Amino acid sequence: RALAAPGDPARDSAAATRAGSVVTWLSPEPMEEIYLVAGPYQLRQEEHRGIAVQTYTYGNDDAELCRRYLNATQEYLDLYAERIGPYPFAKFALVENFWQTGYGMPSFTLLGDRVIRLPFIVHTSYGHEILHNWWGNGVFVDWAQGNWCEGLTVYGADYLYKERESAAAARNYRRTLLQNYLDYVRAGRDFPLTEFRERHDASSAAIGYGKAMMLYHMLRRSMGDAPFWETLGAFYEHHLFRNASWHDLLAVFAERSGLDLARFYDEWIARPGAPALRLADVAAERQADGAVQLDFTLAQSEPLYHLEVPLRVTLRDGRQISMTVPLAEAERRVRRELPEMPQSLAVDPGFDLFRRLHRDEVPIALSQVMGADSLLAILPATLTPELASAYGELLAQWRPAGGAGSVSDQQASFHELQGVGVWLLGEPFWFARLAPLLPGELSIDPQAFRIGDDGFDRNTHTLVVALPHPASEEEALGLILAPDAAPVAGIGRKVPHYGKYSYLVFEGETNVCKGSWTVDRSPLLFVWETDERGEGPQAE
């Protein structure tokens, strides 16, 4: 059975011959490419608001699976039709593939047979592929001027689903994107969004997906929710089945919001980089009339951006005051009057700006090790030959552009871990000297390791953990403790997908625990110490 064309879910014509059936479809919409997908498919189809909702799967016993996808398709079509505009095709089809693909084509998505059976896909990636029918397959990308649609699709799908889950989930998603930029986009890897075409590694994804997504978030915060979606709807209506560039998209925002098109384009699209913020000279003093005067300096790195910096003041009585400070210069002295003495002042506490984070704002993560320009692996001389070989293959699999090398713990000392990302593949004989680097939540002994209140047997579980580097805050130290060689290859394929976490625990090749270390300090957070009267000296 072959897949129908985008514009017409029904066959335009069919004729039976001795060799088989000949089927013809017509598509009234212009297409950038033509696809041929065929296989021993079983078609299931329903109609939803005049749209044919379809699944093409191999098995006859997929009724329950297809039911989930048919229901989800209808929900996603309604969601985006309401927010953006009418769905542009006559059908949408989920199509099964024997390769593990995740492709979004006009009016259908081609997903691997194992992929579609992952329980979370229907709630995450599936909606992303459906949204591509508005962005990319509905409004085409003018590739010569950069790919604007991947970041917009991430914002309207992956991020929006987190936002609907909870404010905390959305904040964590934004923080992860900013941390990916910090960890993967090192010196020499950055480039402007005008040069992004498609993702080919973690650093290009951090820019083309992550940076672009955060720019849409900034536009939405500055405009408001309803005007933002109305602007996207106007852009969609005007450019449907036409090529569009960053200029075309931003021109609609400029028309409807007063956005300075040339300035925004020059600062955020045409040049690489991100601003770094600094908080200094914070003071709070009670005035004679009882009011409290708050003073602080807010600064940014060069080149300068026009920023709307969100801040949050927490008062001694627990109340919170949110404010926004415009910042276009290198440094600005800010003065605000408060009704009560403050307890803390936080700059961009929700990670709502695209910026280069300070290392102390986020926990050490596996992405910091994976994003290193070069890697050094240290293998204890006491490893079994099988485990040493498995670790060697793992290192080759993770090899970064700058290269990766390996030495035994007899050849590299604790003091020689300089300037590179380091993987400890097993415990070096000087492992005890790393004890001060272990977070308080982690403890390791010869038989077990503990993370918080959870204990794990080292004979059955593998620990993968990111630790502070002893010589550089820009690098990190990765540690893998596996009981034997059997699970190493499978774990190695999975770890790059868990980069945002500080630690992972596997039983066999199955992840059974993951999380991040607690962050309790930040250079963009100022906390006042109080005396018995509730007032006292400032302290970070």
Side-chain angles (χ1 to χ4, degrees):
R1 183 186 291 274
L3 182 65
D8 190 349
R11 294 178 296 184
D12 182 71
S13 64
T17 69
R18 290 184 178 181
S21 298
V22 177
V23 183
T24 303
W25 288 278
L26 296 179
S27 174
E29 298 90 0
M31 293 291 109
E32 293 184 301
E33 297 174 302
I34 297 175
Y35 302 93
L36 174 62
V37 180
Y41 288 124
Q42 170 154 350
L43 170 63
R44 292 175 174 85
Q45 177 172 309
E46 296 178 358
E47 183 176 305
H48 178 69
R49 304 185 191 279
I51 301 167
V53 177
Q54 304 172 331
T55 59
Y56 286 76
T57 58
Y58 298 138
N60 294 321
D61 57 348
D62 291 330
E64 183 179 348
L65 174 72
C66 292
R67 179 74 268 155
R68 292 201 302 271
Y69 278 95
L70 291 170
N71 290 344
T73 301
Q74 296 174 37
E75 292 174 5
Y76 287 126
L77 292 177
D78 288 347
L79 171 66
Y80 296 122
E82 180 181 351
R83 287 178 178 263
I84 303 168
Y87 179 69
F89 302 114
K91 76 159 196 311
F92 185 82
L94 165 74
V95 185
E96 186 173 1
N97 191 15
F98 52 85
W99 283 313
Q100 301 314 306
T101 53
Y103 298 142
M105 284 82 159
S107 83
F108 73 100
T109 182
L110 188 64
L111 300 182
D113 54 0
R114 294 199 301 271
V115 172
I116 64 174
R117 288 167 174 81
L118 295 171
F120 57 85
I121 291 295
V122 71
H123 305 296
T124 55
S125 302
Y126 187 57
H128 179 110
E129 301 305 341
I130 290 178
L131 182 54
H132 264 309
N133 286 277
W134 280 263
W135 309 131
N137 294 321
V139 180
F140 304 142
V141 175
D142 184 346
W143 297 103
Q145 301 187 52
N147 182 349
W148 51 266
C149 92
E150 288 298 350
L152 184 53
T153 305
V154 168
Y155 190 64
D158 310 65
Y159 172 74
L160 182 63
Y161 308 152
K162 292 294 184 182
E163 193 175 76
R164 296 168 81 190
E165 178 184 330
S166 70
R171 178 183 183 274
N172 289 339
Y173 192 93
R174 297 191 298 270
R175 187 185 74 172
T176 296
L177 290 186
L178 296 178
Q179 184 162 4
N180 286 344
Y181 182 79
L182 178 67
D183 290 341
Y184 291 123
V185 185
R186 307 289 182 93
R189 296 190 196 174
D190 210 347
F191 57 84
L193 282 167
T194 52
E195 296 180 10
F196 175 70
R197 302 296 181 269
E198 61 183 0
R199 171 178 58 187
H200 52 80
D201 57 18
S203 60
S204 60
I207 297 168
Y209 287 65
K211 178 177 181 177
M213 194 225 85
M214 288 297 298
L215 299 189
Y216 294 116
H217 182 66
M218 290 161 58
L219 287 170
R220 183 179 168 201
R221 280 178 54 84
S222 68
M223 295 177 66
D225 192 70
F228 174 80
W229 292 108
E230 290 168 2
T231 300
L232 288 179
F235 170 67
Y236 171 73
E237 180 180 10
H238 185 69
H239 290 87
L240 182 60
F241 299 124
R242 298 170 55 192
N243 288 331
S245 67
W246 275 108
H247 272 296
D248 296 323
L249 174 58
L250 293 177
V252 182
F253 278 97
E255 177 185 333
R256 288 172 166 259
S257 71
L259 174 74
D260 188 323
L261 172 60
R263 187 177 71 195
F264 189 93
Y265 184 87
D266 290 344
E267 291 180 356
W268 296 108
I269 311 299
R271 78 184 185 199
L277 299 179
R278 182 172 60 88
L279 176 67
D281 305 323
V282 183
E285 184 177 348
R286 191 175 295 279
Q287 306 298 299
D289 61 1
V292 175
Q293 183 172 291
L294 171 66
D295 292 277
F296 59 92
T297 297
L298 193 60
Q300 65 168 310
S301 59
E302 294 190 351
L304 301 179
Y305 293 77
H306 286 74
L307 303 172
E308 296 290 329
V309 183
L311 297 99
R312 184 178 65 217
V313 178
T314 301
L315 303 179
R316 296 279 166 82
D317 59 12
R319 286 179 293 168
Q320 292 187 336
I321 299 174
S322 296
M323 61 182 74
T324 300
V325 173
L327 181 66
E329 58 269 56
E331 183 176 294
R332 179 180 178 183
R333 188 66 180 168
V334 181
R335 176 172 294 177
R336 292 288 188 273
E337 187 173 282
L338 303 176
E340 184 53 76
M341 287 295 293
Q343 175 181 317
S344 64
L345 169 65
V347 177
D348 191 26
F351 301 96
D352 290 304
L353 292 179
F354 181 73
R355 57 186 177 87
R356 184 166 287 277
L357 299 177
H358 296 270
R359 280 289 172 198
D360 289 343
E361 286 187 85
V362 289
I364 296 290
L366 292 166
S367 58
Q368 195 172 343
V369 198
M370 303 298 294
D373 292 323
S374 59
L375 289 175
L376 174 66
I378 298 176
L379 289 83
T382 55
L383 290 177
T384 66
E386 294 80 9
L387 192 50
S389 175
Y391 281 145
E393 294 175 5
L394 182 70
L395 186 64
Q397 180 181 338
W398 289 349
R399 187 179 186 89
S406 62
V407 296
S408 78
D409 58 345
Q410 306 292 327
Q411 297 171 296
S413 72
F414 173 76
H415 294 292
E416 292 173 331
L417 307 181
Q418 302 285 331
V420 295
V422 177
W423 278 108
L424 302 181
L425 303 179
E427 294 184 49
F429 74 88
W430 37 263
F431 185 71
R433 303 195 64 180
L434 294 174
L437 300 179
L438 298 184
E441 299 114 300
L442 175 65
S443 62
I444 301 173
D445 64 45
Q447 302 302 320
F449 57 87
R450 298 192 66 83
I451 300 176
D453 296 329
D454 299 319
F456 302 93
D457 187 338
R458 288 185 58 176
N459 294 312
T460 56
H461 291 77
T462 299
L463 173 67
V464 183
V465 62
L467 303 172
H469 195 288
S472 171
E473 70 170 11
E474 291 303 315
E475 307 297 343
L477 191 69
L479 169 67
I480 301 180
L481 300 178
D484 52 56
V488 170
I491 290 173
R493 290 189 293 270
K494 294 180 178 182
V495 167
H497 301 287
Y498 289 88
K500 67 180 181 180
Y501 297 105
S502 301
Y503 58 84
L504 307 170
V505 180
F506 293 88
E507 186 172 7
E509 296 182 13
T510 302
N511 178 249
V512 295
C513 181
K514 58 183 180 290
S516 299
W517 307 130
T518 302
V519 176
D520 55 7
R521 296 179 64 85
S522 166
L524 295 183
L525 172 66
F526 191 92
V527 180
W528 278 264
E529 290 183 352
T530 59
D531 58 22
E532 294 180 354
R533 298 171 299 167
E535 300 183 15
Q538 299 107 24
E540 295 187 10

